[in-house]
Amino acid sequence: MTVEIIFIVGAGQMGSGIAQTAIQAGYQVILYDLEEGILEKARAGIAKRLNRLVEKGKLGGEEKEKSLARLAGSLDLNDARDADLVIEAVIEDEAIKGEIFKKLDGICKGEAVLASNTSSISITQLAANTKRPEQVIGMHFFNPVPVMKLLEITRGLNTSEETLKVAQEVGQSLGKVTIVSKDSPGFIVNRLLDPMLNEAIYLLDEGVASKEDIDSGMVYGCNHPMGPLALADLIGLDVLLAVMEVLYREYGDPKYRPCPLLRRMVRAGKLGKKTGEGFYKYD
């Protein structure tokens, strides 16, 4: 199967990042969301990032214009009808994602592959909302998508070899390094990473050290590019909480229990960089 048209559900930070990467790789992209304002913000953000690449000499002006011409916005999910690949990138909520997959299954052409950018939710469970479980797969990108090299691909219990091949080929064409996980809660990266972030929040909540010292410990002691609390802010504390809830529920192991401070931060609307405040404050 040849992928030419990619339909992306969700024009937020992840969806717009995936869209930018795809149009730069030569794909026709339709970026869908519920509100025109969100689409306009996504378009403006993509254009701004491409302009920055032009200014740095990493992208030609003509290629920038060609890339932007390959991007279309949509407020109608039915516009997915001609897509070869659909990538869902909405909030980390199983019910919401499941409903989207159910609708897409009735809209998309028979050979279309349906992918989710989920970082923790069962691909097998999402596929159960469709009549094409063999064509459902996880394609988990990392933030910021145009910069981060990894694409974590997750096979559901029924995902076919052909679908896996499509996801790998698309990922490689986007310049990503692809790794493959079976359908296990948290997959590879988040099962390793998110408990570490959660433990850093426990250290802060218990008064073991300041946020600056916790972050400095990992930056200078383990050579991490940024500290765990700053990284949690970048990911989004609501996203981190959602993943930890999945790990805790699925494994039933207390080591995955979300830190109470994390819950309080999310309840207070302090979600990190995207809201201007998390463990740190942002302009």
Side-chain angles (χ1 to χ4, degrees), residues 194-211:
D194 287 10
M196 183 194 76
L197 304 184
N198 191 53
E199 191 64 26
I201 301 170
Y202 268 114
L203 287 174
L204 183 65
D205 197 22
E206 294 167 6
V208 173
S210 69
K211 62 191 176 197

Side-chain angles (χ1 to χ4, degrees), residues 168-186:
Q168 288 176 314
E169 289 178 349
V170 169
Q172 289 159 11
S173 74
L174 298 178
K176 303 301 182 186
V177 174
T178 61
I179 59 175
V180 180
S181 171
K182 73 175 186 179
D183 192 14
S184 177

Side-chain angles (χ1 to χ4, degrees), residues 13-14 119 142-143 190 193-194 197 226 228-241 243 271-274:
Q13 192 171 33
M14 294 303 295
S119 57
F142 290 77
N143 186 39
N190 277 324
L193 174 66
D194 287 10
L197 304 184
M226 64 193 308
L229 298 174
L231 179 56
D233 276 356
L234 178 63
I235 293 170
L237 302 190
D238 54 336
V239 176
L240 175 59
L241 177 59
V243 175
L271 307 183
K273 200 166 186 180
K274 61 187 174 184

